[in-house]
Every structure is written in structure tokens, then in C-alpha cells.
């Protein structure tokens, strides 16, 4: 994860790169599922209390805290998104066309970026969920 998230390897002035970076951080820092991430809205992220409200399986809601690194990435992402993209709705993560990201788009972002640094066979968002859990246990 350190190799993947090393900020030197990201062009954070590019919308798609900043989106990918923020998505990867969101997975790693919060352990959310793909469906939870793509259904996140702006109102779900509380930048004052540093928590994100997540609606999970069975419509169960939970509040997940996050740290300064994710907070900065989300703030930078929202600022760029709001200045560069005409957003169609309330979605937090959107395409460059302003539409809510779809499952396969998020999957491809994760797979492409994990392939740059990881040798594990499976390169999916769920791997990052497991990585989050392992980091929390450690």
C-alpha cells in the first residue's frame, strides 16, 4: 500500500488521477465495499468530524472515522471536481462527464493501479477491504 499510495507517483493535478488516488485511499482508510463507495454522496462525508456515513448490506448504516490523509485527498478531489466537472446529482465520486461512477469503472481503477505495484493474483477492491482489516488488526 505504501508503494501504491506514494504521492510522488501520482499526478494530482489531473482529475482522473486524483479520483483514482482518492478512491484507493477511501478503500484503504475506511474498508468500504465497492457498492458503498459508488453510492456515497457529498452529504455522507462529514469533513468537520472526519467521518463518513456508509449504507451497507441490508441497508445497515454505519459511521466510519478517517484520518488527515484521506481528509486532504477528499477536500482536494471535491475542489477539483466542483471546478472541472458539471456534476449530475449528489454523487461523491463521478466520471469526467459528471455521472456517478459505476462498479466496473471503480473495479478497473483498482485493478489498473494495483497491477502497477502488486504481484498478488487477485487485484480487486475487495483486496483493499482485506488490506484495511489487516492494517486495523496490526
Amino acid at each position: 500500500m505504501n508503494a501504491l499510495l506514494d504521492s510522488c507517483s501520482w499526478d494530482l493535478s489531473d482529475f482522473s488521477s486524483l479520483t483514482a488516488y482518492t478512491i484507493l485511499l477511501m478503500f484503504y482508510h475506511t474498508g468500504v465495499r465497492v457498492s458503498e463507495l459508488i453510492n456515497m454522496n457529498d452529504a455522507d462525508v462529514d469533513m468537520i468530524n472526519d467521518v463518513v456515513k456508509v449504507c451497507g448490506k441490508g441497508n445497515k448504516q454505519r459511521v466510519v472515522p478517517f484520518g488527515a490523509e484521506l481528509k486532504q485527498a477528499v477536500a482536494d478531489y471535491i475542489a477539483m471536481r466542483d471546478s472541472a466537472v458539471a456534476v449530475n446529482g449528489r454523487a461523491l465520486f463521478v466520471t469526467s462527464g459528471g455521472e456517478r461512477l459505476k462498479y466496473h469503472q471503480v473495479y478497473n481503477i483498482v485493478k489498473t493501479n494495483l497491477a502497477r505495484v502488486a504481484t498478488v493474483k487477485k487485484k480487486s477492491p475487495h483486496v483493499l477491504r482485506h488490506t484495511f482489516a489487516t492494517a486495523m488488526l496490526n
Side-chain angles (χ1 to χ4, degrees), residues 21-117:
Y21 178 73
T22 307
I23 285 171
L24 292 167
L25 274 179
M26 183 68 76
F27 280 129
Y28 183 57
H29 284 254
T30 64
V32 296
R33 296 175 178 91
V34 178
S35 60
E36 295 167 343
L37 181 124
I38 61 178
N39 288 314
M40 257 180 223
N41 294 318
D42 284 349
D44 297 329
V45 180
D46 181 347
M47 299 292 273
I48 295 169
N49 296 307
D50 300 341
V51 295
V52 61
K53 293 177 217 145
V54 179
C55 186
K57 284 184 174 181
N59 222 15
K60 292 180 185 172
Q61 302 229 349
R62 67 184 191 281
V63 177
V64 181
F66 57 83
E69 184 179 22
L70 179 57
K71 182 177 185 170
Q72 186 62 55
V74 170
D76 293 346
Y77 166 77
I78 289 172
M80 183 179 289
R81 181 201 65 191
D82 290 351
S83 68
V85 177
V87 179
N88 301 326
R90 304 171 298 151
L92 177 62
F93 292 107
V94 297
T95 65
S96 58
E99 299 295 325
R100 185 180 295 271
L101 282 173
K102 306 240 183 305
Y103 175 87
H104 72 277
Q105 293 168 312
V106 173
Y107 184 90
N108 286 337
I109 286 169
V110 172
K111 183 178 177 182
T112 301
N113 286 286
L114 280 179
R116 294 183 335 180
V117 297

Side-chain angles (χ1 to χ4, degrees), residues 122-137:
K122 188 168 183 177
K123 298 173 182 78
S124 70
H126 203 73
V127 168
L128 296 179
R129 184 170 166 82
H130 285 265
T131 304
F132 160 80
T134 301
M136 292 302 292
L137 286 171

